Amino acid sequence: MWKAYDYIASISEAVTKEFLKKFPTLKNRIILIKNILPEQLIKRQAESFSVEKEMNASGIKILSIGRFCYAKNFDNVPDICRQIRQNGLEVTWYLIGFGKNEKQVRKRICETGMKQYVKILGKKENPYPYIRACDVYVQPSRYEGNCVAVREAQMLGKPVIITGYPTAESQLRNGIDGIIVPLENRACGEKISEILREPKWLEKLVQECRKKDYSNRQEINKIECICRE
């Protein structure tokens, strides 16, 4: 299959490394092209409507976006949320997305008694007003390549927390513009609780996000170079 292509685009250094472990002979064909995000469009869309009626819980609003599948780990969100609340923090965790594991997630919500505190908002064509409305964006994944939703949350100036999946360190600067927490439920819940108790820490993450350009617009130059060859 790979012989048909002049170049193979990878979205991160970590993805390139893993790809070449399996296909080392393709080293000369793979090229890193990070996700290019339309920053101004995303910021305009974030202001396009209010989500106050949907995200109307009191306390801290956590948001996660993704497919309801094994990789995204949404099935463990209810248990993590329960632990955070047991630690005395008033949080509500919103999920945007759809997928084959939705029934499993809903079942876990009921089993953990989190029906009032883990809320599925469904599929959204424009998720950006929801990101704007949340207090913290959390990506609780088991696996990721280079999660676009994380970048979009950073672009909109939100504190970002991600789990320690294999490519996590390529996703953000840990402790600077986001925080990596353990993947295991109990440790994850404890670390998120610790972070949420430190508003100055969260504000520092926000300020760092506002300093950086997450659009990756310079990656367009790589595509133009390829097209000129």
Side-chain angles (χ1 to χ4, degrees), residues 181-226:
V181 299
L183 180 57
E184 189 273 325
N185 285 3
R186 184 174 182 82
C188 180
E190 289 296 328
K191 188 63 179 180
I192 292 177
S193 299
E194 179 186 339
I195 295 164
L196 296 181
R197 288 195 182 98
E198 297 291 339
K200 289 184 178 179
W201 196 0
L202 293 173
E203 182 57 28
K204 181 182 176 183
L205 298 178
V206 170
Q207 293 304 321
E208 286 297 328
C209 287
R210 288 175 177 166
K211 292 177 185 178
K212 188 173 178 182
D213 179 4
Y214 291 102
S215 67
N216 291 328
R217 58 173 61 91
Q218 72 282 355
E219 297 295 282
I220 295 171
N221 297 330
K222 296 179 183 179
I223 298 172
E224 290 176 343
C225 287
I226 290 172

Side-chain angles (χ1 to χ4, degrees), residues 34-208:
K34 296 178 181 179
N35 293 313
I36 302 167
L37 302 176
E39 182 175 7
Q40 296 307 315
L41 175 61
I42 288 171
K43 288 182 176 179
R44 285 199 305 271
Q45 289 183 324
E47 301 285 344
S48 60
F49 57 84
S50 171
V51 299
E52 186 176 350
K53 290 183 179 179
E54 291 179 271
M55 296 178 69
N56 57 4
S58 58
I60 300 167
K61 299 178 181 69
I62 298 175
L63 177 68
S64 299
I65 300 173
R67 299 182 313 279
F68 285 73
C69 64
Y70 179 79
K72 297 299 181 182
N73 197 32
F74 285 178
D75 52 298
N76 278 318
V77 164
D79 187 45
I80 298 168
C81 185
R82 177 175 61 180
Q83 291 187 52
I84 295 170
R85 291 191 62 85
Q86 286 175 347
N87 285 337
L89 290 157
E90 186 181 0
V91 301
T92 301
W93 198 320
Y94 295 92
L95 301 175
I96 288 178
F98 68 104
K100 64 180 182 179
N101 284 11
E102 184 172 336
K103 286 185 179 180
Q104 180 185 3
V105 176
R106 290 187 182 277
K107 180 181 178 183
R108 290 295 298 142
I109 290 172
C110 292
E111 289 173 346
T112 54
M114 289 290 106
K115 196 169 183 178
Q116 186 178 346
Y117 306 113
V118 178
K119 300 187 178 182
I120 296 175
L121 299 177
K123 182 181 180 180
K124 302 294 179 183
E125 289 186 10
N126 178 6
Y128 306 121
Y130 299 89
I131 296 176
R132 183 170 65 91
C134 78
D135 297 302
V136 180
Y137 183 86
V138 176
Q139 197 65 44
S141 303
R142 292 179 173 100
Y143 305 104
E144 286 288 351
N146 193 333
C147 184
V148 173
V150 167
R151 281 282 181 261
E152 291 168 337
Q154 290 172 315
M155 188 176 282
L156 291 172
K158 293 298 173 178
V160 169
I161 299 171
I162 65 175
T163 45
Y165 46 80
T167 59
E169 290 186 359
S170 69
Q171 184 80 75
L172 50 75
R173 296 168 293 166
N174 189 25
I176 300 175
D177 63 349
I179 297 174
I180 300 172
V181 299
L183 180 57
E184 189 273 325
N185 285 3
R186 184 174 182 82
C188 180
E190 289 296 328
K191 188 63 179 180
I192 292 177
S193 299
E194 179 186 339
I195 295 164
L196 296 181
R197 288 195 182 98
E198 297 291 339
K200 289 184 178 179
W201 196 0
L202 293 173
E203 182 57 28
K204 181 182 176 183
L205 298 178
V206 170
Q207 293 304 321
E208 286 297 328

